[in-house]
Amino acid sequence: MTAMARSFSRLTLGGKILFTLGPILFLLTIGLVLLIAIAGKPIVDFLATNIWLVRFVVAATAVLLMSVPTAFLIIYMEMKIIALMNLRIGPDRVGPFGSLMSVIHGLKVLAKEDFSPTGADRLVFTLAPVAVFMSTIMALLVLPFAPGLFGADMNIGLLYLFAVSGLSVVGLLMAGWSSFNKYSLLGGLRSAAQVISYEIPLILSVVGLLLLAGTMSLNQIVVKQGGWFWNWYVFQQPLGALIFFIAATAEANRTPFDLTEADSEIVAGFATEYSGMRFGFFFFAEYVNVFVVSGLIVTLFFGGWNAPFPWPWPITLNIDPGSLGLGLLFAILIVPPLLILALAAPFYLGRSSMPWWQALIIGFVLFNLLVIVAITGWAFVSWNWVAGLMVFLGKSYLFVFTFVWMRGTLPRVRIDQLMGFAWKWLLPASLLNLFVTALALVVVNK
Amino acid sequence: MSLVPGLGIAKGMALTLKKFFEPKATIKYPEVRLDVPPKFRGRLQLLYDEYGTLKCETCFQCAQACPIECIDMGGVDTKGRYHIHWGAPETYGERRDESALRRSGRPVPNQAYEHFDPIHPDALMAILERFDFDPKNMLHILESTQAEYGHLPVAALKLISQKTGAWYAMIYGAASYYRHLRLEPPSAEPLAAATADARAGRETTFLASFDAALFGGTAPGASHGTAIAGAESPGTAPGAGPARA
Amino acid sequence: MTAAPPHDHLHREVPSDDPRVQLDEAAGTFEPVPPYPPRTEREAEFYTLGDGEMFINMGPQHPSTHGVLRVVLKLDGENVVDLDPVLGYLHRGVEKLCENADYHHTIAYLDPLEYISSLFCEWPGVLAFEKLLDVEVPRRAEYIRVLATELNRILSHSLFMGWMALDLGGLTPILWSFIERDEIAEMLASLTGQRLLFNYLRIGGVNGDLNHDFMSRLGDWMTRATTQIDNNLGLLNQNEIFVRRMRGLGTMDKETAFRMAMTGPNLRASGVPLDFRRAHPYSVFPELEFDIPTRDEGDCLARYLVRIDEIKQSLRIIDQCLHNMPDGPIMAKLPRLLRPRPGRAYAAVEGPRGQYAAYVISDGTDQPFRMRIHDPSFVHLQAVGTLMPGHLIADAMAVMASLDPIMGGVDK
């Protein structure tokens, strides 16, 4: 036993992980095989009759899984972009251009002490980050990423989204209340006041759009914006889009409306007493929320997954590799080494100091990149949803960039200015927008 | 604030976007290190030479330059004494002279507070032209100046300091360190030679005892002694240079 | 409380039966109330909560209290009702240290008083010593002093711009102004040898002449300073959010400002053109041409804009210094050990925050008998008592940032 423990301790980190996971995976595989062999037929039958269950589980898992890299990417974007605007370099040590810095941040948060202050309401204190994270994740479910790629196509999708994202304020209020800290309390109350005020112009600004679209299903709204880019609702509802953008900024607690965690006023707001992974949940939720808000803006006003021009999707490439016959085998065997050699040659010939094996490695890497680009391009042109997903993500991250850009530029507004702006300007403007849209519809339809 | 609402915000956003593409000001510290300014008065450090002896000659120039007299001498001096602490700060000037005498084997005038004679700068300017006013060629400049004027007058040192940008103290330190450089006219040569002789002898014995301490008395310490004695024989030409330079 | 023996307030042990300091976990009543009975009427009044009010303890480790200032705020919701600043977290006893050092040593103790504008802390001390000793400072040394201190003024003001924006939530300006500051700090480092605590002025002159490194850096910077500063200011000066938050905030009228003994940009923002470089000329300022920028509003925006204008005036002064710089020695001839005759001397200079002054009494020995240092930050900090109440927390922070206090100078 001791000998085993000693040899285990001699392993590297990767070895330890493999040594632990290997047997578990082995046993799991055997169990799974046995399960399928014994009870495969009834399970498959059950799933086939209840396909919604499969869809739900898959969608929930996918959304949970994608939320983590999304948050990592946006955190990295925030660090790097603001740094570049500040004339700094920003993260540049971990990974290429420091891109793994946010992952390291995540690990750091995991390794920290799970602290809760004396006098805190433990239960509420623990549940608050969960509430915030859940509301954000649930909002991701209805976003249409691409044709056929969404968690659920509800006919009240927009209403659901507003309802669910409004839930996050409950979590923030819980956090502020239970922390036993007045800064947290101020932050929680601020967020409550802010989110409730901005929900109203946020929803009212979309009502005009709903009149035009005639549906609340996000998927249908996107479908109606197909074709050329002037079909996007931003050109029919510019005021609505502006109000929605401003209100969504406040809804996502982003600068200049980031009063809930204004560090120069109330230290860190509702998150003052949080540390470790509880804080990590807040952090993740905030950045996933940025993505949700950006995706929502894109979905509602900027055509969702529609490209700016009618894209002839899908293009069927008439490639039949089988027609090559035996030549296919030769091609698979001969083309990659030849391509690798061809890609390595300029490096070997161009730089006399480079040994042949380094040139070969470079050639191999380039060849792999080439293959990846080729496969992606092929998927892009021949599958509807790949291109749609790319267009959607591209547009969404453009808005994420805008949010980060605003954070790098603008100072923060004051709480009474914030409320005054919502009630005195945004609300009348959104009502005006609604009135004008309705009037225009009446005139046009007559 | 502009008339159009939001214009100021838009201008600010444009400015940050412009800065986004501009070259960055960060200095990647462990790879790139900033040059310390020549007048840097940071950490004081005693350095050791390749024989393991302190490079500090206890000349007290640093203690004299220190504005708040936070520097005092301790450690090993040239006589091998340990942990010396010198007396009241009022006597620094005298001790400096004494120490300079011990170090360079000749009396050194305290030029900082005394009158010095002017020189004709044309020849010196020509020398400086030839060495491109570069402080890196300081030793050559000083040697040429000595060849020109016979010794290194204070006025010449001041002019060199002014024209090359090196400080007077550094030039003075270099000039008083190298034994072939003279700060006095050559009439004082016999005295200097005599003290240099005495000093060479003293140094040989010191190094021998040092080697004895290091290698237990059986060591090849003689090589040091001969090398230094050879280099410091009174007849050596001024340009030959010391062995430990 | 009535029969409290003298010095009872120094007794810092928490009385275990005092109900105000009991940490009741269930009820959650932990207030920043001092652990001793109230010493004054004001204290008793402040530490009695009204209906719906609460205390909040801001500092000494708060992100925007500019150091280790602690302010106990009495809040009604987010409105500041009253406040009680607690000082002394950075007290080092500089005055007493100076009385135990000889005259040359003193300069090094004056230096770290205000770590943003060290040269201005040295200057009044050195001036007072020179008055005591009756020394005439060489003209070149005076010009070098003016040149270096005006650079230090720009350094301080450009950092202020960044801090002001940071306290309003802007992330970027502080880093841009640090780039500006870094250039000047490098420049002054090549002149003085240090980047932060310059320790450059000497009794009777300065420590070291202008050198090539400094001059080339200065020339390089001067060619683009104006455009660079204007460019950086473009981010905030027209920004609606910034201007709307700053305008009309923390307004201080002329009389109040004067009565509070405010000096420097904070006073000039209220419309009083008092500048010690003109009012009590010292050094070579009578020979130099510059304006005294003033504003009449007296609000935070005015205090901000006055500082911007001062940067431009400082650039003018530097330009003139470079043109008029005479040749000559940089140190007066002085003995190594100074023993001024018994007497007293007072000197004041106009710094980036206001009047920096020193008052020295000599008893004929080589150490000052008494050294009193006047720092503007301390004077300006008392304005928060009148400016902060009635504002929201966010504005209270902005008001404090606009006064630009440095806690090193406040606590001495």
Side-chain angles (χ1 to χ4, degrees):
Chain A
M1 193 59 216
T2 46
M4 232 180 121
R6 204 164 50 239
S7 17
F8 181 76
S9 68
R10 279 186 196 149
L11 292 173
T12 58
L13 183 65
K16 277 176 188 162
I17 291 169
L18 270 183
F19 195 79
T20 324
L21 284 183
I24 295 172
L25 278 179
F26 183 68
L27 288 177
L28 271 181
T29 319
I30 289 179
L32 218 61
V33 167
L34 284 178
L35 188 73
I36 290 168
I38 295 165
K41 186 92 171 73
I43 291 174
V44 172
D45 283 348
F46 174 75
L47 290 183
T49 45
N50 296 297
I51 194 71
W52 60 270
L53 190 65
V54 180
R55 195 179 173 95
F56 174 75
V57 171
V58 168
T61 318
V63 158
L64 266 176
L65 283 182
M66 76 158 275
S67 74
V68 176
T70 305
F72 279 151
L73 180 60
I74 299 178
I75 292 169
Y76 170 67
M77 276 174 77
E78 176 133 318
M79 288 191 288
K80 194 75 182 178
I81 291 169
I82 290 185
L84 292 178
M85 284 175 177
N86 288 347
L87 299 178
R88 291 183 286 131
I89 292 177
D92 71 330
R93 298 287 142 146
V94 193
F97 301 103
S99 53
L100 296 180
M101 193 65 217
S102 46
V103 181
I104 301 294
H105 268 307
L107 290 177
K108 173 200 77 179
V109 160
L110 270 177
K112 280 203 168 185
E113 185 192 352
D114 187 17
F115 171 80
S116 56
T118 316
D121 188 338
R122 288 288 173 84
L123 184 67
V124 184
F125 188 75
T126 315
L127 283 180
V130 180
V132 174
F133 193 64
M134 281 314 292
S135 73
T136 313
I137 295 291
M138 280 162 79
L140 265 182
L141 267 176
V142 289
L143 274 189
F145 287 91
L149 196 68
F150 42 81
D153 182 15
M154 297 187 201
N155 52 4
I156 51 157
L158 198 56
L159 204 59
Y160 165 85
L161 211 143
F162 286 137
V164 164
S165 64
L167 268 181
S168 73
V169 70
V170 179
L172 299 186
L173 209 51
M174 280 160 73
W177 172 251
S178 64
S179 292
F180 191 56
N181 184 324
K182 284 166 195 161
Y183 288 116
S184 304
L185 185 62
L186 284 176
L189 291 175
R190 273 184 179 192
S191 81
Q194 176 180 336
V195 172
I196 289 169
S197 305
Y198 274 83
E199 287 265 301
I200 296 164
L202 185 77
I203 295 170
L204 278 180
S205 66
V206 187
V207 176
L209 183 146
L210 293 181
L211 289 182
L212 287 176
T215 172
M216 269 189 153
S217 156
L218 290 170
N219 206 21
Q220 289 302 311
I221 290 175
V222 176
V223 169
K224 291 201 176 198
Q225 299 179 65
W228 287 92
F229 63 87
W230 51 76
N231 288 342
W232 295 354
Y233 282 134
V234 67
F235 296 107
Q236 295 164 40
Q237 293 274 314
L239 184 60
L242 185 68
I243 296 166
F244 189 84
F245 181 74
I246 295 171
T249 316
E251 187 80 4
N253 292 333
R254 298 290 302 177
T255 314
F257 306 114
D258 62 338
L259 291 153
T260 54
E261 46 201 26
D263 56 341
S264 63
E265 298 154 23
I266 48 169
V267 191
F270 58 87
T272 306
E273 293 288 355
Y274 278 89
S275 68
M277 202 51 212
R278 286 178 189 161
F279 176 72
F281 270 120
F282 278 128
F283 209 55
F284 273 31
E286 185 189 333
Y287 286 102
V288 175
N289 210 3
V290 173
F291 179 76
V292 170
V293 163
S294 312
L296 198 58
I297 292 170
V298 168
T299 305
L300 292 177
F301 292 101
F302 289 87
W305 34 258
N306 289 308
F309 47 88
W311 182 267
W313 281 322
I315 302 165
T316 317
L317 298 178
N318 283 319
I319 302 172
D320 185 10
S323 65
L324 288 169
L326 206 58
L328 181 67
L329 190 64
F330 280 112
I332 288 173
L333 284 177
I334 291 167
V335 170
L338 277 183
L339 254 178
I340 290 173
L341 283 179
L343 288 169
F347 289 93
Y348 184 63
L349 299 174
R351 289 186 59 184
S352 56
S353 61
M354 186 172 279
W356 59 270
W357 54 271
Q358 274 184 14
L360 272 188
I361 286 174
I362 289 175
F364 184 71
V365 169
L366 283 180
F367 171 73
N368 277 307
L369 285 178
L370 203 68
V371 169
I372 288 168
V373 168
I375 290 176
T376 318
W378 173 73
F380 189 82
V381 293
S382 50
W383 281 339
N384 220 343
W385 64 270
V386 174
L389 183 65
M390 283 185 183
V391 170
F392 177 80
L393 288 182
K395 285 182 191 170
S396 296
Y397 278 103
L398 212 62
F399 276 93
V400 172
F401 177 83
T402 313
F403 282 126
V404 175
W405 182 13
M406 273 161 62
R407 176 149 188 214
T409 309
L410 298 179
R412 193 179 294 127
V413 299
R414 209 195 311 151
I415 183 81
D416 60 329
Q417 289 172 345
L418 176 94
M419 305 297 275
F421 188 58
W423 293 104
K424 287 183 199 156
W425 294 97
L426 287 188
L427 185 63
S430 55
L431 284 174
L432 178 75
N433 180 46
L434 174 60
F435 177 71
V436 170
T437 314
L439 200 69
L441 274 180
V442 167
V443 170
V444 169
N445 287 348
K446 224 166 206 181
Chain B
M1 208 158 62
S2 56
L3 289 175
V4 187
L7 192 66
I9 291 176
K11 276 184 187 168
M13 299 281 277
L15 185 62
T16 35
L17 193 66
K18 205 182 94 198
K19 295 269 181 180
F20 184 78
F21 298 105
E22 275 183 11
K24 305 298 170 234
T26 309
I27 294 154
K28 296 190 172 186
Y29 162 61
E31 293 93 11
V32 184
R33 298 188 186 217
L34 277 185
D35 291 339
V36 183
K39 274 195 77 175
F40 181 64
R41 293 177 278 146
R43 194 169 151 201
L44 298 169
Q45 220 172 9
L46 285 174
L47 301 175
Y48 291 82
D49 65 4
E50 59 270 32
Y51 302 110
T53 49
L54 272 174
K55 275 188 170 178
C56 173
E57 300 244 354
T58 344
C59 72
F60 280 95
Q61 285 195 20
C62 55
Q64 269 219 320
C66 179
I68 56 166
E69 298 170 1
C70 67
I71 303 175
D72 202 354
M73 292 290 135
V76 191
D77 70 346
T78 41
K79 289 178 182 167
R81 296 182 299 191
Y82 287 85
H83 298 288
I84 34 170
H85 288 286
W86 303 82
E90 286 91 324
T91 60
Y92 271 27
E94 302 152 34
R95 287 204 324 265
R96 192 197 71 92
D97 292 352
E98 178 200 327
S99 145
L101 175 69
R102 187 178 65 248
R103 186 164 47 82
S104 59
R106 60 206 155 174
V108 179
N110 192 352
Q111 291 106 336
Y113 301 107
E114 283 176 15
H115 177 78
F116 55 87
D117 292 317
I119 54 160
H120 202 270
D122 287 353
L124 181 55
M125 285 305 287
I127 293 167
L128 285 169
E129 283 282 343
R130 199 165 71 225
F131 292 108
D132 204 14
F133 295 95
D134 193 352
K136 286 193 187 105
N137 302 328
M138 187 55 71
L139 195 55
H140 298 293
I141 295 175
L142 291 177
E143 281 166 3
S144 312
T145 312
Q146 177 161 320
E148 186 68 35
Y149 292 97
H151 69 292
L152 293 173
V154 181
L157 294 186
K158 294 242 169 190
L159 192 65
I160 293 171
S161 161
Q162 196 184 341
K163 294 295 172 191
T164 58
W167 316 321
Y168 179 76
M170 284 167 76
I171 300 171
Y172 177 79
S176 63
Y177 182 76
Y178 290 108
R179 283 169 209 134
H180 64 281
L181 296 177
R182 288 185 297 269
L183 293 165
E184 294 286 87
S187 59
E189 192 64 30
L191 172 66
T195 27
D197 244 5
R199 185 169 186 276
R202 213 163 57 220
E203 199 156 330
T204 316
T205 42
F206 165 63
L207 279 171
S209 66
F210 186 69
D211 282 340
L214 264 184
F215 305 111
T218 59
S223 62
H224 291 302
T226 46
I228 288 170
E232 287 197 347
S233 58
T236 313
R244 288 200 297 150
Chain C
M1 179 178 136
T2 45
H7 306 301
D8 188 36
H9 61 275
L10 296 175
H11 185 66
R12 287 278 165 170
E13 259 178 43
V14 180
S16 57
D17 55 340
D18 190 341
R20 291 176 308 169
V21 293
Q22 293 288 307
L23 172 62
D24 185 347
E25 287 191 16
T29 53
F30 184 57
E31 303 291 358
V33 177
Y36 45 78
R39 293 170 296 185
T40 57
E41 274 182 31
R42 158 77 185 147
E43 216 169 273
E45 180 211 328
F46 180 78
Y47 285 109
T48 314
L49 282 176
D51 190 25
E53 292 175 348
M54 67 170 177
F55 289 125
I56 196 163
N57 198 11
M58 197 166 259
Q61 280 115 2
H62 189 273
S64 63
T65 48
H66 289 238
V68 283
L69 173 64
R70 175 175 159 222
V71 188
V72 182
L73 294 173
K74 196 196 262 182
L75 294 181
D76 179 12
E78 279 213 29
N79 286 305
V80 178
V81 177
D82 204 347
L83 76 154
D84 183 21
V86 185
L87 307 180
Y89 286 88
L90 199 57
H91 179 59
R92 291 150 291 171
V94 171
E95 291 176 1
K96 206 68 199 164
L97 284 173
C98 290
E99 288 159 22
N100 288 298
D102 76 25
Y103 285 95
H104 292 294
H105 288 65
T106 308
I107 303 164
Y109 288 127
L110 295 177
D111 232 350
L113 262 181
E114 266 192 24
Y115 26 81
I116 309 298
S117 49
S118 327
L119 284 177
F120 287 102
C121 299
E122 295 168 22
W123 207 357
V126 169
L127 273 181
F129 296 155
E130 282 160 2
K131 279 185 187 172
L132 269 182
L133 291 157
D134 207 10
V135 186
E136 196 188 342
V137 183
R139 273 174 57 80
R140 184 175 173 84
E142 289 284 21
Y143 269 100
I144 294 176
R145 281 180 181 185
V146 172
L147 178 62
T149 48
E150 291 304 320
L151 277 174
N152 198 342
R153 191 191 302 275
I154 297 175
L155 184 153
S156 169
H157 282 340
S158 63
L159 267 192
F160 164 80
M161 314 277 143
W163 276 330
M164 192 73 237
L166 192 68
D167 280 358
L168 295 184
L171 294 175
T172 305
I174 181 77
L175 286 137
W176 291 0
S177 52
F178 256 98
I179 292 172
E180 198 69 35
R181 176 204 178 268
D182 204 61
E183 280 184 48
I184 303 176
E186 282 290 324
M187 209 185 290
L188 285 174
S190 58
L191 179 66
T192 67
Q194 304 283 2
R195 281 172 57 94
L196 189 67
L197 307 176
F198 303 114
N199 196 349
Y200 182 55
L201 306 188
R202 292 283 176 273
I203 302 167
V206 289
N207 173 30
D209 208 341
L210 303 178
N211 55 33
H212 175 69
D213 194 14
F214 170 73
M215 292 307 281
S216 60
R217 278 177 195 275
L218 179 63
D220 184 30
W221 178 74
M222 284 291 280
T223 51
R224 60 195 152 80
T226 320
T227 49
Q228 198 165 317
I229 289 167
D230 280 349
N231 204 1
N232 289 356
L233 291 172
L235 184 59
L236 286 182
N237 284 6
Q238 299 174 346
N239 190 310
E240 277 84 357
I241 298 173
F242 182 76
V243 174
R244 266 177 201 282
R245 278 199 64 178
M246 299 276 281
R247 181 171 288 162
L249 172 64
T251 311
M252 178 153 249
D253 58 4
K254 233 184 235 187
E255 285 72 30
T256 321
F258 218 79
R259 214 179 57 238
M260 289 221 167
M262 288 173 95
T263 46
N266 294 342
L267 181 65
R268 293 197 279 278
S270 298
V272 185
L274 173 68
D275 189 321
F276 286 90
R277 292 174 289 183
R278 280 271 182 268
H280 305 288
Y282 53 94
S283 194
V284 288
F285 281 112
E287 302 169 20
L288 298 172
E289 253 183 50
F290 61 97
D291 301 332
I292 303 171
T294 53
R295 303 236 158 204
D296 295 331
E297 297 90 353
D299 55 358
C300 286
L301 189 65
R303 290 196 271 274
Y304 176 81
L305 293 174
V306 159
R307 285 183 166 91
I308 295 173
D309 294 341
E310 280 196 12
I311 289 186
K312 288 167 186 162
Q313 296 305 320
S314 289
L315 285 172
R316 260 179 86 187
I317 295 176
I318 291 172
D319 219 25
Q320 292 173 48
C321 279
L322 291 176
H323 273 104
N324 301 350
M325 182 76 67
D327 259 345
I330 55 161
M331 276 290 282
K333 291 206 169 166
L334 276 178
R336 186 76 200 140
L337 199 70
L338 301 175
R339 289 185 202 275
R341 259 171 283 151
R344 38 189 79 188
Y346 169 83
V349 301
E350 176 73 29
R353 283 173 193 77
Q355 177 202 27
Y356 292 72
Y359 180 64
V360 191
I361 304 178
S362 155
D363 59 351
T365 58
D366 57 347
Q367 293 171 344
F369 174 72
R370 176 80 177 94
M371 176 106 187
R372 170 87 179 93
I373 299 158
H374 172 93
D375 192 278
S377 301
F378 181 69
V379 179
H380 294 161
L381 202 59
Q382 62 182 336
V384 298
T386 54
L387 291 185
M388 267 192 186
H391 288 302
L392 296 165
I393 296 182
D395 280 351
M397 291 292 98
V399 166
M400 196 160 85
S402 77
L403 292 172
D404 198 14
I406 299 290
M407 292 315 289
V410 174
D411 288 344
K412 289 207 254 299

